[in-house]
Amino acid sequence: MFEVDAPLSLATEFERIVRDGQLQAHYQLIADLFHGSIHGYESLIRGPRNSPLHLPASLFGTARRLGRLVELELACAKAGLHGFVQSGAQGKLLLNLSINTVLACWYQWGADLPRQLLDDSGLPSDRLVIELTEQDAADDVHGLLQARFCLREHGIGLALDDYGAGSTNLQLWVRLQPDLVKIDRHFFYGISSSASGQQLIRALMSVAQALGTPLLAEGIETAADLATVRELGMRYVQGWHLGLVEPQPQVELPEPVLALLRLDRSRRVQAESGTVGTLLIEAMAVQPEHHTNDDIDKMFQDFPDLHSVAVLDREHRPIGLINRHTFSEKYAMRYTRDLFGRDPCATFMSHRPVMLDVGTPIDRLAPVLASEDQRYLRDGFIMTREGRYAGLGTGESLVRAVTELRLETARYANPLTALPGNIPIKRQMQQLMAGSECFIACYGDLNHFKSFNDMYGYWRGDAVIQLCAEVIKRYCDIQQDFIGHVGGDDFVMLMRSGDWQARLEDMVAQFNQRAIDLYDEHDRGLGGIELQDRYGVTRFFPFVTLGVAALVVQPQRCQGVEPQAVAAAVAELKRRVKSERASLLVDDYAALANAK
């Protein structure tokens, strides 16, 4: 495109661009998927459009060859900073500086580093984040730590850029304690179809959680990849699918993010039906860094219906609960207000509040009501969503909801086994389909049950069905698995246990063994019963056995699929169990749907 004499011509061009202030700042939006908001923008620099140094690779490559990389980075930071302030955009500004540049500035400016970087721009220091970029390892980690502490004292944040691609390693992550780690785009390209890539991100998220560091997914280029990182629990995202690099910062979330958030809200409303989420009270929360005991006292005075206040850490995770009655009693004591009024609000909080995720099914909370710990009746409880504060619930509403659910379950329960019937089964299936967690839809029924019933009568036939229910309940995890009785000898299990297949295998084996004891001694000796069919022909029927069809369902791969379609698919798989005389058949719903 350009013909230049390389070193000399490019050096002259570089000198002109820096001297005349012709660096052009562009910005790329960073979205916060947890809060549905714009977190901030990364400043990215271009040279003049008609220059051979327009693209960053040429510009920074030339600076490196000329030994003027520090000078260029600081000029880029200044252009990005002032352009951002002039735009009036809100949120954080992320400026790229290499580790060596930060060290050079620290050696030169020392404690004046924050002021020099802000360059009289007028940007509040707590809105600036320095993005550390480096292809070479840091030679002076001690100096880097000193610079980091100095920046932190003034509210300036620090992020590690392109983690996993350059020289930034876990040791640097641990020692620097950054405010954000940006995972390189390489790990997210096509992640929607990469099981190994998703597993790797989960591992990195576990590390981040242990270190208390938020993560950002770079290079999100498709709707599928955006949806996948949201399902994985990534909070911050950045990439072309959210918007191009533009001279003016975007002031609204892009449509792809808004569409995802709308879908999230829709699925959440569906998923939280029949869960603790239906009891949620949207109530204000406080943080010890920003609220005193006097603030809590005023809050209770201003809001007479507020029964408690949740106390959160900086990541909006609950750490305690302040009960109105308990707080008011202590605050009314002599000298308490004078001694503790200006202290952080954590002084009188309960450090072990009852906390429930909004997705917790109400039918699993009966043990809470029956437990010796009855704090929820007095204090209420905190509701969380993905570990972060969502709202409050009252003990009264919880007791009422559990009681109503018990009455409703009894109303629709199968009278023989007391297991939930069709309506609760449908409701549970809808709830699981609206969520994001993989589950196993199982359909079990009995082989040769009719012959047993005809031979021994319905009274002993009921004993077989009750035995089946007993065995199923024994091998299902009541905390994770749902059991329903459609009627007759048909049972439904919606399982989320990690070892579901082993449970099903043991369930079948146990029932088949115990069912033999229900036969008369003579028939046990024969290995079954001899019975005339409807045509008067004597036939031999082996022992009753249990057959189970298990369908793996991943809701994120079934968007737009109705629950009845999954029910029909598992019923069809059950027919295969019958025809193939199998004890257990397992298949994947998505694979079956694609095959059709």
Side-chain angles (χ1 to χ4, degrees):
M1 181 170 134
F2 295 97
E3 294 184 4
V4 295
D5 294 332
L8 185 58
S9 298
L10 290 180
T12 303
E13 178 67 5
F14 178 86
E15 179 66 34
R16 182 183 69 83
I17 291 172
V18 175
R19 182 190 64 237
D20 297 343
Q22 294 188 355
L23 294 169
Q24 300 174 356
H26 290 57
Y27 304 92
Q28 188 171 43
L29 177 143
I30 297 170
D32 181 342
L33 297 182
F34 281 11
H35 293 140
S37 61
I38 295 175
H39 175 67
Y41 306 82
E42 180 180 359
S43 172
L44 299 164
I45 296 296
R46 304 287 185 267
R49 181 165 294 278
N50 296 322
S51 168
L53 300 183
H54 171 64
L55 295 178
S58 301
L59 183 64
F60 283 87
T62 300
R64 183 180 290 275
R65 288 192 295 272
L66 295 173
R68 300 178 65 178
L69 197 57
V70 172
E71 178 186 358
L72 176 63
E73 288 189 22
L74 291 176
C76 291
K78 180 177 181 179
L81 189 61
H82 287 272
F84 183 72
V85 172
Q86 290 172 10
S87 74
Q90 299 302 305
K92 304 278 189 179
L93 173 64
L94 279 70
L95 293 179
N96 291 283
L97 291 177
S98 68
I99 290 176
N100 288 337
T101 294
V102 171
L103 284 171
C105 293
W106 173 248
Y107 298 148
Q108 180 178 354
W109 296 326
D112 202 33
L113 176 63
R115 187 184 67 81
Q116 292 286 348
L117 289 178
L118 288 167
D119 194 42
D120 297 325
S121 62
L123 183 75
S125 59
D126 61 356
R127 290 179 57 196
L128 177 62
V129 178
I130 301 301
E131 240 185 82
L132 283 183
T133 62
E134 185 58 87
Q135 298 300 317
D136 305 318
D139 295 328
D140 183 6
V141 176
H142 178 69
L144 188 60
L145 286 172
Q146 289 182 310
R148 196 279 183 266
F149 293 145
C150 178
L151 294 172
R152 173 175 281 173
E153 285 181 352
H154 289 78
I156 297 176
L158 187 75
L160 292 184
D161 190 27
D162 297 333
Y163 187 85
S167 62
T168 48
N169 53 40
L170 185 58
Q171 182 181 13
L172 194 62
W173 182 349
V174 172
R175 297 192 66 179
L176 283 182
Q177 299 178 7
D179 303 286
L180 182 69
V181 171
K182 300 179 72 174
I183 307 300
D184 187 70
R185 65 182 59 246
H186 167 78
F187 298 101
F188 298 103
Y189 182 78
I191 192 172
S192 59
S193 58
S194 172
S196 60
Q198 294 174 28
Q199 191 60 36
L200 178 59
I201 294 303
R202 289 190 185 96
L204 285 174
M205 291 179 67
S206 297
V207 173
Q209 184 174 8
L211 297 176
T213 311
L215 296 183
L216 182 149
E218 293 187 299
I220 302 302
E221 299 181 4
T222 68
D225 289 346
L226 177 62
T228 299
V229 297
R230 178 68 184 94
E231 292 288 346
L232 288 170
M234 294 290 289
R235 177 172 179 177
Y236 300 113
V237 291
Q238 179 181 359
W240 291 344
H241 188 63
L242 282 69
L244 301 177
V245 179
E246 301 286 357
Q248 288 297 314
Q250 294 174 245
V251 295
E252 295 181 354
L253 280 176
E255 179 54 33
V257 176
L258 293 175
L260 181 65
L261 294 174
R262 284 195 294 269
L263 176 63
D264 266 358
R265 282 192 290 270
S266 174
R267 291 177 67 182
R268 191 167 67 220
V269 168
Q270 295 180 54
E272 290 177 6
S273 62
T275 67
V276 177
T278 59
L279 311 178
L280 185 141
I281 300 170
E282 293 186 353
M284 63 192 73
V286 295
Q287 294 177 302
E289 297 85 358
H290 305 300
H291 298 88
T292 65
N293 290 316
D294 281 344
D295 293 330
I296 302 300
D297 182 50
K298 186 175 187 306
M299 196 175 292
F300 282 137
Q301 292 180 34
D302 293 342
F303 300 95
D305 295 331
L306 191 63
H307 70 280
S308 293
V309 176
V311 183
L312 314 180
D313 64 14
R314 293 180 179 179
E315 287 297 314
H316 293 271
R317 298 180 187 277
I319 57 174
L321 188 68
I322 303 173
N323 172 265
R324 168 190 285 274
H325 180 71
T326 304
F327 178 87
S328 299
E329 275 191 342
K330 292 181 178 178
Y331 223 56
M333 296 175 66
R334 180 181 292 185
Y335 305 126
T336 300
R337 186 185 302 272
D338 296 331
L339 292 173
F340 301 105
R342 296 185 181 181
D343 285 358
C345 62
T347 309
F348 302 115
M349 76 177 184
S350 167
H351 292 270
R352 295 188 306 108
V354 176
M355 290 195 288
L356 299 171
D357 186 270
V358 291
T360 304
I362 292 174
D363 60 5
R364 296 186 193 170
L365 297 179
V368 176
L369 271 62
S371 68
E372 295 182 1
D373 185 356
Q374 297 291 292
R375 285 174 297 142
Y376 72 91
L377 286 174
R378 180 188 69 247
D379 298 343
F381 54 94
I382 296 176
M383 291 199 212
T384 61
R385 184 180 287 114
E386 297 176 340
R388 288 172 173 78
Y389 177 71
L392 297 176
T394 66
E396 178 187 0
S397 67
L398 180 58
V399 171
R400 183 171 60 250
V402 172
T403 303
E404 290 174 353
L405 185 63
R406 282 175 167 175
L407 292 173
E408 184 181 21
T409 300
R411 178 184 176 189
Y412 294 116
N414 186 284
L416 180 60
T417 61
L419 289 172
N422 287 339
I423 291 178
I425 292 171
K426 291 177 181 177
R427 186 178 295 123
Q428 183 71 11
M429 176 72 87
Q430 290 170 341
Q431 180 178 318
L432 291 173
M433 287 292 292
S436 59
E437 185 177 354
C438 176
F439 68 95
I440 317 302
C442 305
Y443 200 145
D445 78 336
L446 303 179
N447 303 307
H448 315 301
F449 174 70
K450 185 178 183 304
S451 61
F452 183 97
N453 208 48
D454 290 345
M455 181 70 176
Y456 295 120
Y458 69 87
W459 193 272
R460 288 175 66 175
D462 284 353
V464 175
I465 293 173
Q466 288 173 321
L467 171 64
C468 188
E470 177 192 334
V471 171
I472 289 174
K473 285 189 283 188
R474 176 181 176 184
Y475 285 97
C476 284
D477 181 351
I478 192 173
Q479 296 298 321
Q480 300 187 74
D481 305 328
F482 174 89
I483 310 168
H485 187 178
V486 178
D489 61 337
D490 292 336
F491 293 85
V492 168
M493 293 150 279
L494 303 175
M495 305 182 71
R496 294 183 294 177
S497 305
D499 56 346
W500 59 269
Q501 186 158 351
R503 289 175 180 271
L504 291 176
E505 291 170 352
D506 292 343
M507 180 191 301
V508 169
Q510 179 70 201
F511 173 83
N512 293 349
Q513 179 183 346
R514 293 181 60 184
I516 298 174
D517 295 335
L518 299 179
Y519 286 77
D520 288 348
E521 184 177 353
H522 173 264
D523 294 330
R524 287 201 298 270
L526 291 177
I529 56 178
E530 290 181 334
L531 189 68
Q532 286 187 349
D533 64 18
R534 69 181 65 181
Y535 304 106
V537 178
T538 300
R539 295 179 55 195
F540 178 78
F541 296 92
F543 295 133
V544 173
T545 57
L546 174 62
V548 178
L551 200 60
V552 179
V553 184
Q554 301 178 64
Q556 65 267 31
R557 297 177 62 189
C558 303
Q559 293 184 15
V561 176
E562 295 295 330
Q564 53 262 39
V566 176
V570 74
E572 177 62 32
L573 187 61
K574 186 203 75 165
R575 284 189 280 274
R576 280 182 52 198
V577 172
K578 283 279 194 186
S579 63
E580 298 176 18
R581 299 184 179 182
S583 58
L584 174 64
L585 283 182
V586 178
D587 213 329
D588 183 271
Y589 177 77
L592 287 177
N594 291 335
K596 294 180 180 180

